[in-house]
Amino acid sequence: MILFDGAFKICNISAMDNSHTSAEIPVTLELIAREAGVSPSTVSRILNGTARVSELKRTAVEKTIERYNFQPNVIARGLAKGRTFSIGVLTQFIESPFYGEALRGIEDALAGTGFAPLFVSGHWNLKDEVRSMGLLQARRVDGVIVLTGKLSDEQLVQYAQRTPVVITGRNLQAPNLVSLNVDDRLGGYKATQHLIEFGHTRIAYISGPVDHPDSMERLRGYQQALAEANLACDPELIAQADFHESGGVLAINQLVNSRRDFTAVLAANDQMAYGARLALYRLNIRVPEDISLVGFDDLPNSIYTMPPLTTIRQPIFELGKIAAQTVLKLITGEGTPQSTPPVELMIRESTRRIRR
């Protein structure tokens, strides 16, 4: 009992001493410099990645930072440099699995750079997008990534006059602005061509919103592949939807109720393909035995659907990373890589050849 009591007291004294010390001695950049045997300016340059020092000094500073669990004062650094070390990201729906992949790519690219993302949503509503951009500018972000949306080219050019802008889903050129675009038409073409090569001649198409550029480009790719194969494009086989799962359900019901014959369905995104698959299941229509089904995006869940979904893979995560890397280069004036990986057809079990 005495030994336990003594140990208990010793542990408590030690804990009290540590907390007292950390409270009495604030961990500052100057303290880190003194302990590491370098100047404060050297520590500062190591923190912002601009230092040209020996590996011995760098290791000493990094170990000291780790020992004291030093957290730099980002606000103070920002004031000194005229920056906030924040990147505004205008997405459309934060809860969307598509935009979620892009946001994950942005976070991955910004990790360790000292810059932090600030996410806002536009909801595919111009007023919301303008409000969100105003919020980001009021926060004095150092750059903005716009993930598609309804802002006009003119509005984006105006924003870029004040803050570096990277926009996805556009072909726009302007000072202080970079566009990153995926070849949606090629994706729609490849998906349709795949179904044609499997012997399908009556291919239904579930479209996204008519005012959405990605949706229209994918539709044009679908139409191009049909035309090159000398197949008629039947307007009755094109169902208008909204890029959501519920839209895919309604589109299949519309197509079936039209009593038009079709053996395959191409959905303009994976989420609508998920809804289409559910609607077909409820109608006792088998995939792929009765109807082949193709999506667009290759979301992470698409490989786990029943059956696994054939789809067009667009580099969503990679696009987010490239957008973040590009906006950082715009901020620092280092040049701007603009190439994005190509779309790719992912053939899985939701499509099969027509059996004559």
Side-chain angles (χ1 to χ4, degrees), residues 149-353:
K150 290 195 171 185
L151 291 169
S152 68
D153 289 353
E154 292 76 15
Q155 287 172 308
L156 289 166
V157 170
Q158 288 178 358
Y159 288 128
Q161 291 173 359
R162 289 167 281 179
T163 308
V165 172
V166 173
I167 172 74
T168 66
R170 300 279 181 98
N171 287 309
L172 178 61
Q173 293 184 345
N176 218 29
L177 183 150
V178 173
S179 296
L180 299 174
N181 202 18
V182 171
D183 197 337
D184 289 290
R185 181 182 296 205
L186 178 61
Y189 176 85
K190 282 188 171 187
T192 309
Q193 189 179 52
H194 165 67
L195 291 169
I196 293 171
E197 289 174 352
F198 270 19
H200 297 277
T201 58
R202 301 285 295 170
I203 303 169
Y205 182 80
I206 302 177
S207 174
V210 293
D211 59 349
H212 195 300
D214 295 354
S215 171
M216 293 300 97
E217 283 299 296
R218 293 168 195 180
L219 174 60
R220 292 185 184 102
Y222 160 81
Q223 293 168 329
Q224 179 184 347
L226 292 178
E228 288 185 5
N230 294 317
L231 297 174
C233 181
D234 185 351
E236 295 294 324
L237 289 182
I238 298 177
Q240 185 69 48
D242 58 3
F243 277 155
H244 296 293
E245 291 85 349
S246 57
V249 172
L250 294 173
I252 287 296
N253 291 334
Q254 174 188 326
L255 289 165
V256 171
N257 291 335
S258 73
R259 300 193 180 280
R260 291 281 188 173
D261 181 44
F262 58 95
T263 61
V265 176
L266 167 58
N269 77 341
D270 282 1
Q271 288 174 256
M272 292 192 298
Y274 300 161
R277 175 68 186 90
L278 174 61
L280 292 168
Y281 168 79
R282 287 174 172 170
L283 293 168
N284 293 317
I285 298 174
R286 300 170 301 168
V287 177
E289 292 83 359
D290 302 319
I291 296 286
S292 285
L293 178 63
V294 180
F296 198 116
D297 286 337
D298 195 25
L299 297 177
N301 288 337
S302 293
I303 198 171
Y304 299 109
T305 59
M306 290 296 292
L309 183 67
T310 293
T311 185
I312 294 294
R313 183 181 188 278
Q314 62 167 321
I316 311 167
F317 176 82
E318 292 85 350
L319 188 65
K321 287 189 69 171
I322 293 170
Q325 292 164 352
T326 301
V327 79
L328 291 180
K329 289 185 177 296
L330 278 174
I331 292 168
T332 57
E334 297 179 27
T336 52
Q338 301 179 45
S339 60
T340 56
V343 294
E344 183 180 359
L345 175 66
M346 309 300 293
I347 301 175
R348 301 191 181 110
E349 292 92 324
S350 68
T351 54
R352 66 179 295 178
R353 294 184 180 275

Side-chain angles (χ1 to χ4, degrees), residues 16-185:
M16 288 173 62
D17 284 348
N18 285 340
S19 62
H20 179 73
T21 301
S22 61
E24 287 294 325
I25 305 175
V27 181
T28 63
L29 185 142
E30 288 73 18
L31 173 63
I32 297 296
R34 186 167 63 251
E35 291 291 315
V38 299
S39 68
S41 61
T42 298
V43 176
S44 179
R45 291 197 305 274
I46 289 174
L47 286 170
N48 63 34
T50 62
R52 294 181 179 178
V53 297
S54 68
E55 194 59 34
L56 188 64
K57 285 186 178 181
R58 183 183 300 277
T59 301
V61 170
E62 289 174 349
K63 285 184 176 180
T64 306
I65 288 172
E66 183 179 356
R67 185 167 78 249
Y68 281 92
N69 192 26
F70 175 60
Q71 301 294 326
N73 189 326
V74 176
I75 295 175
R77 287 174 60 203
L79 289 173
K81 290 178 171 289
R83 292 179 181 171
T84 62
F85 290 96
S86 58
I87 303 296
V89 183
L90 173 57
T91 180
Q92 297 306 319
F93 297 100
I94 287 179
E95 72 275 14
S96 161
F98 173 84
Y99 290 108
E101 278 294 286
L103 299 183
R104 201 166 61 84
I106 291 170
E107 284 187 318
D108 188 82
L110 293 180
T113 66
F115 286 82
L118 177 60
F119 300 121
V120 292
S121 294
H123 309 111
W124 279 102
N125 180 287
L126 181 58
K127 288 184 179 179
D128 285 350
E129 291 183 19
V130 171
R131 177 186 55 77
S132 293
M133 287 294 282
L135 174 65
L136 294 176
Q137 289 187 321
R139 294 295 182 102
R140 303 182 64 84
V141 295
D142 297 315
V144 178
I145 299 169
V146 180
L147 299 175
T148 63
K150 290 195 171 185
L151 291 169
S152 68
D153 289 353
E154 292 76 15
Q155 287 172 308
L156 289 166
V157 170
Q158 288 178 358
Y159 288 128
Q161 291 173 359
R162 289 167 281 179
T163 308
V165 172
V166 173
I167 172 74
T168 66
R170 300 279 181 98
N171 287 309
L172 178 61
Q173 293 184 345
N176 218 29
L177 183 150
V178 173
S179 296
L180 299 174
N181 202 18
V182 171
D183 197 337
D184 289 290
R185 181 182 296 205

